[in-house]
Amino acid sequence: MAKLNRIRIVLAERDLNNKWLADKLGKDQATISKWVTNTTQPSLEALIAIANALEVPVQKLVRQEEFNQEK
């Protein structure tokens, strides 16, 4: 099963795109693209900034079902 990217999902839910997030965070669009395609993962600081920009709790961007499977 393909891993869904929570950043991508929240962007789609809010009808936003990678360019909007890149502009909001002052990051390159290529960096955002790597985050939403799971090529790389944002740092904790970047994840907090993403959550703030999207106005969601950080927990919404973390794949909690993976943590639940480890228990």
Side-chain angles (χ1 to χ4, degrees), residues 3 9-10 13 26 43-45 52-53:
K3 291 185 177 183
I9 291 169
V10 175
E13 288 172 349
S43 67
L44 180 57
E45 292 82 12
N52 288 336

Side-chain angles (χ1 to χ4, degrees), residues 4-68:
L4 297 176
N5 183 282
R6 298 295 307 155
I7 299 169
R8 177 183 280 181
I9 291 169
V10 175
L11 284 170
E13 288 172 349
R14 298 179 190 279
D15 199 28
L16 299 170
N17 57 33
N18 293 1
K19 181 182 181 336
W20 177 88
L21 187 58
D23 291 344
K24 192 80 169 168
L25 299 178
K27 300 281 186 187
D28 187 70
Q29 286 187 54
T31 300
I32 305 301
S33 178
K34 289 177 184 178
W35 291 343
V36 301
T37 59
N38 292 325
T39 302
T40 62
Q41 298 301 311
S43 67
L44 180 57
E45 292 82 12
L47 190 62
I48 292 168
I50 294 165
N52 288 336
L54 294 172
E55 298 178 349
V56 297
V58 172
Q59 293 84 352
K60 184 169 176 88
L61 302 177
V62 177
R63 295 179 47 85
Q64 293 183 8
E65 64 272 9
E66 289 180 5
F67 296 114
N68 294 336

